[in-house]
Amino acid sequence: MRRRSFLSRTAVSAVGVTALAAMTPLFTPRPAAARAVRERPSAGPVILIDWDGVDPSYLDAHLHARLPRLRSLVTRGSLATAACTYKTVSNPSRAGIATGARPIVHGNAAYVLDPGSGKAIGQTRDIAAETIAQSLRRQHRNVLSAGWYIVQDKGVTYGDPEGLYTQGATWEENVDTVVRALRGEPVDSNGVPVTLPRIPDLVAAYSADIDSLGHREGPNSPNIPRRLAELDSGLGRIIDAVEEVGLGDDATFVFVSDHGMTGYTESLEPQVLGAISDAGFTVERLYSGQAPASRTEVVLTASPRAANVYLRGRAESARERDRIEGLLRHLPELEAVFNRDDLAAMGTTPTEGDFAVDARPPYAFFDPDEVDGRERGGHASLREGTAPLVLAGAGVAQGRMPGGPRTIDVAPTISHLLGVEPPAEAEGRVLTEALAPRVGY
């Protein structure tokens, strides 16, 4: 497996598993007669739970009081804060989870100036590297994705019982799919009932709810802890179903998110665009689908906590490039400025521009006419570049997690747990320090 450098700022948090041990058990005991024993994987299964936009601080605040089923996984395993890839936007970040690679390898970038069309683009699902679902299928394993959209048509599709994609309208519907599939009952796949031939090697279940709430209402919304508690109830149903079908001693759970969330109330576009204009350059901020005017020398694309800066015409000269970098670095509303060398070191795609700039809270890149004092939430900057990571169950050592885990380590670790090779282009590593000695192949 290739190894590449990864620039990150990671804070690893250990959970006091001794104190948690007396709390909610991992599985609710069930009578043996109630277990429906079906053909099972030779190793595993692995249950991947991906809740979008769960800032690590949410678990710091609510794990003990509101999330008993997730806490039960932590009790049996370990919790850490993992470094995400930059920029911390959902599809590039989730593509890293699915491929075990950075954007420079998997090719997914968001809110950039597309060199092909010459227009700003938002998020896509384009991935140029093998996903964990494709890797497992190549190695004759089967996969169920309940709403984990990043692998749709990349190892799982509607109607394929060996690599099945389903899409519930809610987290609860995705949970229903997982429970029914584990029990051997038919599940809805785009209107077609499909019965899986056996218990999947990998089950991936996704929820977008916390990210959506964070964007609309900010990370301090009282609706976030309430919805987290509801998501936890759904997780509990999956845990109970795993036990019900006799896999309580065999299944491994992996819980992960794709990025954090930061609140903002003020637009910094007047300051940033104004400083560039005052320096004598023509400047535009583009939204998805827009192309810059031919005379524009500096182009910005943004989402809302970070922006890319593209230089054109005379702004591309070494002298003017240095001048623009200098003025950006002196703007108090910006928390960080990354030049092309910085971006290359972080493994970003070339489409990320000549510079990337991160906003300093409470600022963000959004229309100043929309400023109304109400807090919203956003991500994309390095500040949102960490996510919670939980490993628990079969093959996982209690209370152990290596320092500096990354979300790109998830796919290699899942592959190791299932006894198969990782995705072909994976750069992440197996988190062996968190695994019990008996795990291996």
Side-chain angles (χ1 to χ4, degrees):
M1 190 187 308
R2 297 198 305 269
R3 296 282 191 268
R4 300 194 185 186
S5 63
F6 183 87
L7 181 64
S8 64
R9 299 175 187 172
T10 307
V12 178
S13 59
V15 169
V17 293
T18 302
L20 287 173
M23 298 183 184
T24 308
L26 177 60
F27 298 114
T28 302
R30 302 259 181 163
R35 297 176 179 173
V37 180
R38 298 177 57 224
E39 183 183 349
R40 63 189 63 186
S42 56
V46 172
I47 314 295
L48 173 64
I49 305 295
D50 181 353
W51 294 349
D52 200 316
V54 175
D55 192 275
S57 66
Y58 297 171
L59 297 195
D60 292 341
H62 305 298
L63 184 66
H64 290 267
R66 292 181 177 267
L67 306 174
R69 305 314 298 270
L70 182 58
R71 186 181 69 227
S72 73
L73 295 181
V74 175
T75 302
R76 281 278 300 272
S78 55
L79 165 67
T81 301
C84 308
T85 55
Y86 187 85
K87 292 195 305 285
T88 56
V89 178
S90 290
N91 287 12
S93 294
R94 189 157 286 107
I97 296 170
T99 64
R102 300 169 301 162
I104 186 61
V105 174
H106 64 61
N108 189 286
Y111 303 100
V112 298
L113 191 61
D114 178 45
S117 66
K119 297 180 179 180
I121 61 171
Q123 298 199 62
T124 76
R125 299 187 185 181
D126 298 337
I127 300 178
E130 185 178 53
T131 71
I132 182 71
Q134 290 169 320
S135 172
L136 289 171
R137 293 296 304 280
R138 173 171 56 80
Q139 297 174 82
H140 311 293
R141 301 301 185 94
N142 61 332
V143 183
L144 168 65
S145 171
W148 201 48
Y149 65 87
I150 201 66
V151 295
Q152 183 183 5
D153 298 327
K154 300 172 185 67
V156 294
T157 57
Y158 284 122
D160 183 348
E162 294 292 334
L164 187 65
Y165 184 74
T166 70
Q167 182 61 69
T170 64
W171 163 247
E172 284 75 14
E173 289 186 9
N174 286 336
V175 169
D176 288 343
T177 293
V178 172
V179 171
R180 291 179 64 85
L182 289 172
R183 291 173 174 168
E185 301 169 356
V187 300
D188 179 87
S189 180
N190 200 29
V192 176
V194 177
T195 301
L196 301 184
R198 59 191 183 280
I199 291 172
D201 295 276
L202 173 64
V203 175
Y206 171 77
S207 170
D209 298 35
I210 302 304
D211 183 67
S212 298
L213 278 170
H215 280 295
R216 289 196 311 268
E217 303 175 12
N220 298 304
S221 166
N223 290 316
I224 288 177
R226 284 198 287 266
R227 186 56 180 156
L228 279 170
E230 293 168 351
L231 298 189
D232 188 72
S233 296
L235 171 61
R237 291 183 56 214
I238 294 174
I239 292 172
D240 291 344
V242 167
E243 173 67 14
E244 177 186 320
V245 299
L247 292 173
D249 295 329
D250 303 308
T252 307
F253 283 81
V254 178
F255 172 89
V256 72
S257 189
D258 54 344
H259 55 71
M261 186 71 68
T262 299
Y264 63 88
T265 56
E266 301 293 331
S267 172
L268 48 58
E269 291 193 8
Q271 295 91 326
V272 175
L273 300 181
I276 295 171
S277 179
D278 290 346
F281 299 98
T282 54
V283 59
E284 281 186 90
R285 193 270 208 231
L286 300 182
Y287 292 86
S288 296
Q290 295 179 335
S294 58
R295 65 181 182 84
T296 300
E297 297 165 317
V298 181
V299 175
L300 272 72
T301 60
S303 167
R305 290 274 307 125
N308 293 337
V309 181
Y310 301 85
L311 306 183
R312 293 151 45 101
R314 70 183 178 94
E316 294 181 277
S317 71
R319 177 178 177 274
E320 302 297 359
R321 180 185 300 268
D322 290 345
R323 191 157 70 96
I324 292 169
E325 181 174 357
L327 71 88
L328 291 172
R329 291 191 183 280
H330 282 89
L331 287 174
E333 296 84 5
L334 294 179
E335 186 165 65
V337 177
F338 305 110
N339 60 29
R340 178 36 51 193
D341 289 341
D342 298 327
L343 293 170
M346 288 193 284
T348 68
T349 69
T351 56
E352 293 287 354
D354 296 280
F355 302 105
V357 295
D358 288 358
R360 187 185 305 278
Y363 291 99
F365 290 90
F366 70 113
D367 189 339
D369 291 338
E370 296 179 4
V371 173
D372 56 10
R374 178 174 59 89
E375 185 182 59
R376 300 167 175 83
H379 49 89
S381 80
L382 199 61
R383 180 180 283 263
E384 295 83 50
T386 57
L389 174 63
V390 176
L391 299 176
V396 176
Q398 184 179 17
R400 291 212 312 254
M401 184 73 85
R406 303 163 298 175
T407 55
I408 64 170
D409 298 331
V410 169
T413 301
I414 290 174
S415 301
H416 184 85
L417 288 163
L418 292 174
V420 298
E421 292 295 323
E425 289 81 20
E427 301 176 290
R429 72 182 189 89
V430 178
L431 297 173
T432 52
E433 300 94 326
L435 305 182
R438 65 184 179 83
V439 172
Y441 61 94

